[in-house]
Amino acid sequence: MILFFGRTDDPPLARAIRAAQEADHRHLVIDQARLARYDLVVGTGALDGLLTVEGMRVPLDDVSAVYARPLELPDGGDPAARARAAAFQEWFVAWLDTTPAAVVSRPSAMESNSSKPYQAQLIGRSGFVVPETLVSDDTDEILEFRAQHGRIVYKSVSGIRSIVREFTEADESRVHLVRGLPTQFQAYVPGQDVRVHVVGEHTYAAAVDSDAIDYRYADQGGESARLAPLDLPPDTARRCVDLAASLGLPLAGIDLRRTPDGEWVCFEVNPMPAYSYYESHTGLPISTALVEYLDGHRAATPSGV
């Protein structure tokens, strides 16, 4: 059985569930909005436990694969119900790191993105070029870095989503605000953005044409982003698959930029990508590939162990 965990109004999860339904794969949905109504009893072993969801009792050893997108729990409501939901989520997320079932993706594997500077080092070891980077709260260092590279961009060093912005003259007057708040600065890299989704051994690439520094928020600046499927060079596709595998991520969103001279630069690896945005704009069959990956592990967990 495939387990889906998350909010059913979350587009990536909803698309995966729909793909499982269309393929008639045996599956169960654990809706975060209803966790207070569910039970999870975990025994002494990773396979020893029981789920009770919507009146169904499912032994944990019957679960062969999981796609989990744990988001923030809803606020409000009965305090006791919120506490019960929080306890269920805590136990379930902990189980994801111990179960022998295939998990997309294990919480421990996703931790590489909690520190972007650390992840950048892992990316560099994979063979991808990484932009020249400075992490600092020292104004003199930052201004010197800008003088050295001409154009630079900045973003948060943590895994929390942030908007990538170009450092401009207007930022010089407020650069002192980063004191005590180390920020990641990178040399600006010209070229075309390419988002690559890795699903197991397969890659699905989308080329992005946009004048925005961060195309995800192009509309906020009155700009646009146009996406189209792209055939990656085989060696680049292989490197993406190997990078995701080295991070322990069966599903990953890899942010690349192809420079005018044909070099591939890697910025980041998203361990829980919102692939639905790219799928809806390009028709790339990412959700189908994800569900087929999960279904391919239906025999990986022998029942009754």
Side-chain angles (χ1 to χ4, degrees):
M1 173 181 284
I2 300 171
L3 276 188
F4 294 100
F5 179 91
R7 284 172 28 184
T8 54
D9 61 351
D10 178 35
L13 189 77
R15 281 178 175 263
I17 293 171
R18 186 163 60 247
Q21 292 170 338
E22 291 173 352
D24 199 27
H25 293 318
R26 185 169 174 249
H27 66 279
L28 179 67
V29 178
I30 302 177
D31 186 351
Q32 278 187 286
R34 300 171 65 83
L35 292 187
R37 305 184 182 194
Y38 305 157
D39 285 313
L40 171 60
V41 180
V42 179
T44 56
L47 291 173
D48 182 17
L50 187 69
L51 268 173
T52 304
V53 177
E54 308 295 351
M56 293 181 59
R57 293 165 61 88
V58 180
L60 290 179
D61 65 356
D62 197 28
V63 177
S64 56
V66 185
Y67 177 41
R69 281 182 57 86
L71 303 177
E72 292 291 331
L73 290 172
D75 292 326
D78 177 60
R82 290 202 308 272
R84 180 179 174 85
F88 184 104
Q89 179 154 315
E90 180 181 359
W91 295 336
F92 184 84
V93 170
W95 174 76
L96 292 176
D97 263 335
T98 61
T99 175
V103 177
V104 179
S105 288
R106 296 187 190 274
S108 57
M110 292 196 287
E111 283 300 313
S112 68
N113 195 45
S114 295
S115 168
K116 288 183 172 64
Y118 169 68
Q119 191 191 70
Q121 295 179 59
L122 301 180
I123 293 170
R125 292 174 192 170
S126 74
F128 273 114
V129 175
V130 177
E132 288 290 327
T133 301
L134 170 70
V135 177
S136 179
D137 64 353
D138 185 291
T139 58
D140 291 337
E141 281 187 345
I142 296 166
L143 294 176
E144 181 181 346
F145 186 73
R146 186 187 181 214
Q148 177 185 357
H149 294 285
R151 296 183 69 182
I152 63 173
V153 298
Y154 61 93
K155 60 184 176 181
S156 165
V157 298
S158 75
I160 297 175
R161 192 177 193 183
S162 63
I163 302 176
V164 181
R165 301 186 185 277
E166 182 169 3
F167 189 93
T168 65
E169 291 184 5
D171 292 310
E172 289 188 11
S173 63
R174 60 192 188 98
V175 68
H176 63 278
L177 296 175
V178 303
R179 290 173 183 161
L181 182 65
T183 302
Q184 178 164 295
F185 299 85
Q186 290 184 318
Y188 174 78
V189 178
Q192 182 182 46
D193 285 301
V194 175
R195 164 55 80 92
V196 180
H197 286 94
V198 175
V199 184
E201 289 286 317
H202 302 283
T203 57
Y204 302 88
V208 184
D209 288 315
S210 179
D211 292 328
I213 293 295
D214 191 332
Y215 66 84
R216 299 170 303 171
Y217 301 93
D219 57 346
Q220 294 185 8
E223 297 173 298
S224 62
R226 299 165 298 281
L227 282 66
L230 175 72
D231 290 329
L232 285 176
D235 60 333
T236 303
R238 183 71 252 170
R239 189 172 296 167
C240 288
V241 170
D242 291 344
L243 172 57
S246 72
L247 298 175
L249 299 173
L251 171 67
I254 301 179
D255 292 321
L256 304 179
R257 185 165 291 173
R258 182 173 51 186
T259 67
D261 61 4
E263 186 173 51
W264 291 89
V265 178
C266 183
F267 296 106
E268 189 175 336
V269 181
N270 190 322
M272 198 171 77
Y275 70 84
S276 52
Y277 169 77
Y278 302 88
E279 183 173 83
S280 64
H281 282 78
T282 64
L284 291 168
I286 303 169
S287 58
T288 298
L290 171 59
V291 168
E292 290 307 311
Y293 172 86
L294 295 167
D295 185 61
H297 291 78
R298 59 189 177 278
T301 307
S303 181
V305 172

